């Protein structure tokens, strides 16, 4: 099975990048909240982190924090984000590792907007092994593209986000999702960890759908 996943993602054995899980896993609950831009990941993460006492890490939020504080990371990230492109893997992975390290005693994490590429998924799997833990599930919010565009344009009226303000940038973000991110479903499906839910409905209805999955983990 692991070989199949590795060959699917073109991951070589050379550096032994995917390590075997350790015996005696700890009890952290780690969830990847997945879906295209505008699917509602941030909204649901805010509810779920309270409900399950998990640490919410949104890579987009961390980048925006850095942009606001005019750090070097922020300047670099902005040059990609404003065009609707992904920030390079190395930068994003290092940042994510640092965010996890900051919360060493956590019950578990909700990863929102990460991983977005095969390299990020591989890095996250390795990080979890280092923590003697694992990703328990990828829960995905499924929403049609045209609804996403409408939601993001609406959000752009108040969010102050450059990347929500322009329909061309919004469509580029959705294209990036299909080019680089959507494939990760198969990475988690191959491990029986992918769960898709309908992302249309009230906040409460969608939380209930997600909770029905998280409660079984
Ligand atoms: P989000 O807040 O998740 O919609 O992300 C906003 C933007 O931040 C994305 O369009 C990317 O430019 C960047 N970004 C967020 N997370 C990642 C990631 N995991 N990998 C690369 N770029 C990211």
């Amino acid at each position: 099975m692991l070989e199949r996943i590795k060959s699917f993602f073109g991951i070589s054995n050379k550096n032994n990048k995917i390590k075997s899980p350790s015996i005696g896993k700890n009890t952290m609950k780690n969830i990847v909240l997945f879906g295209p831009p505008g699917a509602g990941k941030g909204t649901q993460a805010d509810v779920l982190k309270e409900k399950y006492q998990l640490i919410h890490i949104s890579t987009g939020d961390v980048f925006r924090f850095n942009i606001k504080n005019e750090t070097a990371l922020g300047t670099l990230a902005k040059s990609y984000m404003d065009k609707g492109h992904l920030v390079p893997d190395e930068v994003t992975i290092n940042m994510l590792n640092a965010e996890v390290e900051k919360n060493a005693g956590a019950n578990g994490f909700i990863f929102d907007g990460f991983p977005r590429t095969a390299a990020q998924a591989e890095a996250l799997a390795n990080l979890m092994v280092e923590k003697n833990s694992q990703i328990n599930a990828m829960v995905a919010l499924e929403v049609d593209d045209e609804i996403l565009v409408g939601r993001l344009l609406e959000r752009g009226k108040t969010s102050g986000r450059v990347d929500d303000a322009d329909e061309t940038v919004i469509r580029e973000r959705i294209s990036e999702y299909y080019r680089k991110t959507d494939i990760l479903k198969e990475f988690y499906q191959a491990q029986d960890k992918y769960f898709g839910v309908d992302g249309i409905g009230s906040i409460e209805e969608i939380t209930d759908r997600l909770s029905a999955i998280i409660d079984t983990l």
Side-chain angles (χ1 to χ4, degrees), residues 174-192:
I174 295 172
S175 298
E176 278 281 79
Y177 173 83
Y178 285 110
R179 275 193 294 265
K180 298 175 180 166
T181 308
D182 186 57
I183 193 177
L184 297 184
K185 286 178 187 171
E186 293 164 48
F187 180 83
Y188 289 96
Q189 258 162 0
Q191 303 170 61
D192 291 327

Side-chain angles (χ1 to χ4, degrees), residues 11-27:
I11 297 165
S12 81
N13 260 331
K14 266 185 258 157
N15 302 323
N16 225 357
K17 281 184 176 165
I18 293 190
K19 300 167 199 156
S20 307
S22 323
I23 300 164
K25 287 207 175 298
N26 72 29
T27 53

Side-chain angles (χ1 to χ4, degrees), residues 37-38 41 58-61 63-64 77 80-82 84-89 92 112-117 120 155 161 163 173:
K41 299 186 295 291
S58 155
T59 40
D61 283 352
F63 285 134
R64 281 184 287 277
Y80 293 90
M81 290 166 76
D82 285 357
H85 295 155
L86 294 188
V87 179
D89 279 334
T92 308
D112 161 6
F114 188 97
R116 265 175 150 108
T117 64
Q120 292 180 16
R155 187 171 80 182
R161 282 179 56 169
D163 59 349
R173 287 160 65 198

